[in-house]
Amino acid sequence: MTATHPPFWYERSPVPTPLSIAVHLGWLNGEPSADGVAIRSLRTRQPSGNPTQQLEYMLANTFRQGSSAPALWARARGADTRVIGLTWTDEAQQILALPQSGIRAIGDLRGRRIAVPRCDDIEIDMFRATTLRGVLNALSLEGLADQDVTLVEVERDLRRLYLAEAHALLAGQVDAIYVRGSAGLEIALMLNALVVADIGFHPDPAIRNNNGTPRPLTVSGATLREFPDIVSGFLQLVVDAGHWAASHPLETISYIANETGSAPQLVRAAYGPQLHRKLRVDLAPESLAALGSFNDFLLARGFLDNSVDIGEWVDHAPLRQLRAQPGLHSA
């Protein structure tokens, strides 16, 4: 007798992930597989009418890979999710200033005004969290902290990332801003800004640790318990997409450019020349530690009401089972 499955969904952030590579390769096109299972993009799903349930990281039968903050926030509020993989893709994380500011190094930020975006219309303000984390990590390299600068709240422009911060910088309301990724490099070019610091490729992973480093791959707990075969098949596709990327650098750049809406040259600059090799899925101890560190930061800064037990949240079994099956991970 043929098993009956509920609908399954996936969602991703518009950033470099192996899940996005699998989508661009056509491996997750919503068509039923040989056993009749289809995993569709959540973007095609009709809203449920329940605002809480419209958050993809709170829905049942959903896979997601993207930023850490919303996934941690949902888990802290009781969402039945599990982490089955992590992807660490380094990205530019820059502090920018205008050339006439006189700011040339991190130490010059002492006593200066730094923009921090704020958006009260979303449940977890991950943009504020990301900026604050990046700024504080950068300041720490010179022994500075938030009390050594003035953090100026800027209402986030929902039309484009970093646009509000750029306007505040040009208007003289702040002396420096934080940007990251290919969208951030576009803003830097638009402003003809001076890069005061780029911590995105710092040798210490603790300095690079932020909302996107690492990015968790999560699945609803019910799906993992009731349909482990579906989880295994999905994870296999994502893992294989990362392996495919490692041997297809040009195509990978093209797919990520499409995903982020940025020019290929900006993608290369923002994510480094080894981007195609950085889309693997693992649960490396250093990545797990970084996820825990970001959880601690979010809790300490008031973005989370409760701490997330990373050990309980992560399930190693699906990835371990895949690795125990030789010959299944060819590029």
Side-chain angles (χ1 to χ4, degrees):
M1 184 172 62
T2 303
T4 300
H5 296 100
F8 297 100
W9 310 92
Y10 70 83
E11 178 62 303
R12 67 195 192 276
S13 300
V15 292
T17 63
L19 174 53
S20 68
I21 296 296
V23 172
H24 284 280
L25 287 170
W27 295 357
L28 287 164
N29 58 11
E31 294 297 323
S33 60
D35 57 3
V37 176
I39 304 179
R40 298 181 173 89
S41 172
L42 196 61
R43 297 173 190 178
T44 65
R45 186 180 191 274
Q46 294 298 315
S48 66
N50 183 335
T52 301
Q53 290 302 308
Q54 290 181 38
L55 301 175
E56 70 268 16
Y57 29 81
M58 300 288 279
L59 289 167
N61 302 321
T62 303
F63 299 88
R64 179 186 181 274
Q65 187 166 39
S67 303
S68 296
L72 283 161
W73 173 85
R75 178 69 177 183
R77 302 191 77 171
D80 181 16
T81 61
R82 301 299 296 274
V83 174
I84 56 175
L86 294 166
T87 297
W88 188 305
T89 303
D90 289 320
E91 59 186 351
Q93 297 188 61
Q94 299 182 340
I95 305 293
L96 305 179
L98 296 178
Q100 61 269 29
S101 68
I103 301 172
R104 297 292 182 269
I106 295 174
D108 297 332
L109 292 170
R110 184 188 296 272
R112 297 299 193 108
R113 301 162 299 167
I114 304 177
V116 177
R118 186 180 189 94
C119 183
D120 295 325
D121 295 332
I122 53 179
E123 294 277 10
I124 168 68
D125 194 345
M126 62 179 178
F127 306 103
R128 177 180 174 81
T130 301
T131 295
L132 191 58
R133 176 68 158 178
V135 167
L136 294 180
N137 280 351
L139 291 175
S140 73
L141 293 175
E142 290 295 328
L144 302 177
D146 47 355
Q147 61 264 29
D148 296 308
V149 298
T150 300
L151 300 176
V152 178
E153 291 190 351
V154 176
E155 186 173 354
R156 179 176 177 255
D157 191 317
L158 297 178
R159 296 170 297 173
R160 185 177 177 185
L161 199 59
Y162 306 122
L163 192 59
E165 294 95 315
H167 284 162
L169 188 64
L170 290 172
Q173 298 167 358
V174 299
D175 303 303
I177 65 174
Y178 166 92
V179 300
R180 68 170 181 144
S182 55
L185 295 194
E186 289 185 51
I187 290 294
L189 289 173
M190 180 188 76
L191 294 171
N192 191 28
L194 177 72
V195 179
V196 177
D198 188 343
I199 63 172
F201 300 93
H202 191 277
D204 185 352
I207 297 298
R208 306 196 307 271
N209 172 226
N210 207 321
N211 190 31
T213 41
R215 293 186 172 99
L217 175 62
T218 59
V219 62
S220 60
T223 300
L224 185 58
R225 291 187 297 271
E226 299 171 21
F227 304 101
D229 56 328
I230 302 298
V231 174
S232 179
F234 182 89
L235 182 58
Q236 179 74 72
L237 289 177
V238 176
V239 168
D240 283 349
H243 291 161
W244 180 93
S247 60
H248 296 79
L250 295 180
E251 295 95 328
T252 297
I253 292 294
S254 177
Y255 288 151
I256 297 302
N258 184 281
E259 189 74 9
T260 60
S262 299
Q265 60 268 30
L266 285 176
V267 169
R268 292 189 183 92
Y271 303 107
Q274 296 300 310
L275 170 61
H276 60 292
R277 301 182 186 277
K278 301 292 186 179
L279 296 170
R280 59 183 177 271
V281 178
D282 60 33
L283 288 170
E286 55 268 29
S287 293
L288 291 171
L291 188 63
S293 176
F294 192 59
N295 167 74
D296 294 343
F297 164 78
L298 293 177
L299 183 67
R301 293 286 169 168
F303 294 99
L304 300 183
D305 295 329
N306 303 291
S307 181
V308 173
D309 187 320
I310 302 298
E312 290 185 357
W313 192 28
V314 174
D315 192 328
H316 292 260
L319 193 57
R320 186 181 297 126
Q321 290 165 5
L322 281 190
R323 289 175 171 171
Q325 303 175 48
L328 295 181
H329 308 310
S330 58

